[in-house]
Each structure stands twice: as structure tokens, then as C-alpha cells.
Amino acid sequence: MVRKHVTGPFVLPVRDLVHRPGEMREHTIEVAAPEKWGEGLVAVDQGEPVVVDVRLESVHEGILATGEVDTRFTGVCSRCLRDIAEDLQVEFQELFAYPGEEETDFEVQDDHVDLETLVREALVLALPFQPVCQPDCPGLDPVTGERLADGAGPQQSQPLDPRWAALQDFTTTNDDESPRTRG
Ligand SMILES: [Zn+2]
């Protein structure tokens, strides 16, 4: 009950697999993310449900974990800073080696494997660096900083330099000399 070192939300028993090459077990676990995963514009929030489908396979060197993680990331669009939330699905495969077998990032510990680091790293690596709310998000107006309307491309707001802006005013004024019709 109090064997704290072998408990954890992503810990799975492998007692019946250890040193039995060819044996395998499948598990599905759903865990609330124990902390916020990711440092960028988007992250998997603490408490977000994380579903792991994994096949644990006994091989000569250890336990091979193959599976898929399903969760959701939230954050802001890198162009317009609108809030976004999107499903995230990642596949993984990693060997948990028996202690002393070989250099490895992951080891079988006693009679269990802990998938937490593996799952976290797979998810964090899959988070987009430049997330967008939609593929053609027009972003922010570089002059006013306001959100551009959907569909209105940034082409109207190119001149950042005030000198070019002045020139644009000039041409706009000239173009406006078309005759007005009344009545
Ligand atoms: Zn956007």
C-alpha cells in the first residue's frame, strides 16, 4: 500500500512479462495530466484527460512499449492570439530495458514500467511551435495590432514605415477624384 516508489498514474505492472519473450499485454489508461506539459504558445493543461493505449511486449532486452496517446492542447493562435483548443494524437514506441542490459533512457523498475516521461516527451514534441486557429488565419494588422477580418488578407496593411503610409495617403487621395453622382 505504501510502496510510493512504484505508484504513479502512468505505472503499469509487468510482473507476468518479465523475462518471458513473446508474452504481451494491452492496456488502456486514462489519466489527468499531473501538471502542465509544454512551454510554448500551446500546452497540455494540468488535469487534461490523457488516454494511453499501449501494448507491452516482452522482448529479450526488456519490455517494448508501443502505443498511442490521445489528449488535447490549449493555448493561443500564434498569429491572432485567439484562444485555441485542439485534439492531439501521438504514437510512440520505446524499449524499457532490464537494469544493466544496455544504455537506455527507460528501465524496467522491479515489476513495473512508468510511462509518464515517455508520454510527456511524446506529447511535448508533437505540440506545434506556431499553432494557428485556422490554416489561413490572417493574423493581426501590423499597423493597428487589431485582428484582421477573416478572408481579408494582410495585403492592405503592408506599409509599416510611416513614410510609405504617407505615400499611400497621397495615392489614395488622387484615386478619390472620381466624380460623385447624386440623386
Ligand atoms: Zn488566428
Side-chain angles (χ1 to χ4, degrees), residues 89-110:
Q89 195 175 67
V90 190
E91 292 180 348
F92 62 85
Q93 182 169 64
E94 199 70 53
L95 175 71
F96 287 79
Y98 295 127
E101 282 283 326
E102 57 182 89
E103 276 299 302
T104 177
D105 290 338
F106 300 100
E107 275 195 351
V108 177
Q109 298 160 42
D110 297 331

Side-chain angles (χ1 to χ4, degrees), residues 1-172:
M1 294 287 268
V2 284
R3 295 175 65 195
K4 253 192 172 167
H5 62 292
V6 296
T7 63
F10 293 92
V11 169
L12 292 173
V14 294
R15 188 195 302 270
D16 52 355
L17 296 175
V18 169
H19 296 303
R20 291 183 191 174
E23 290 286 312
M24 66 174 70
R25 297 285 180 275
E26 291 184 335
H27 298 265
T28 299
I29 52 175
E30 180 171 339
V31 177
E35 59 190 350
K36 183 181 174 183
W37 285 344
E39 302 288 332
L41 288 171
V42 292
V44 176
D45 253 336
Q46 183 178 23
E48 193 71 52
V50 177
V51 177
V52 183
D53 277 305
V54 62
R55 188 181 70 219
L56 299 177
E57 194 177 345
S58 187
V59 296
H60 179 70
E61 304 88 352
I63 306 292
L64 185 65
T66 309
E68 190 177 276
V69 190
D70 276 284
T71 186
R72 191 180 72 138
F73 66 78
T74 54
V76 295
C77 172
S78 61
R79 293 186 200 160
C80 72
L81 305 181
R82 204 189 302 262
D83 286 343
I84 53 176
E86 255 182 68
D87 291 336
L88 181 63
Q89 195 175 67
V90 190
E91 292 180 348
F92 62 85
Q93 182 169 64
E94 199 70 53
L95 175 71
F96 287 79
Y98 295 127
E101 282 283 326
E102 57 182 89
E103 276 299 302
T104 177
D105 290 338
F106 300 100
E107 275 195 351
V108 177
Q109 298 160 42
D110 297 331
D111 54 1
H112 70 277
V113 292
D114 188 348
L115 300 180
E116 180 166 338
T117 304
L118 165 62
V119 166
R120 186 188 65 228
E121 288 181 356
L123 287 176
V124 169
L125 281 175
L127 290 170
F129 284 117
Q130 297 189 310
V132 288
C133 60
Q134 58 190 47
D136 59 348
C137 171
L140 300 176
D141 187 306
V143 178
T144 65
E146 308 232 325
R147 260 178 213 144
L148 292 169
D150 290 346
Q155 66 272 11
Q156 287 182 324
S157 332
Q158 290 292 1
L160 274 170
D161 190 319
R163 288 168 297 178
W164 291 112
L167 191 63
Q168 191 183 45
D169 281 348
F170 177 74
T171 44
T172 306

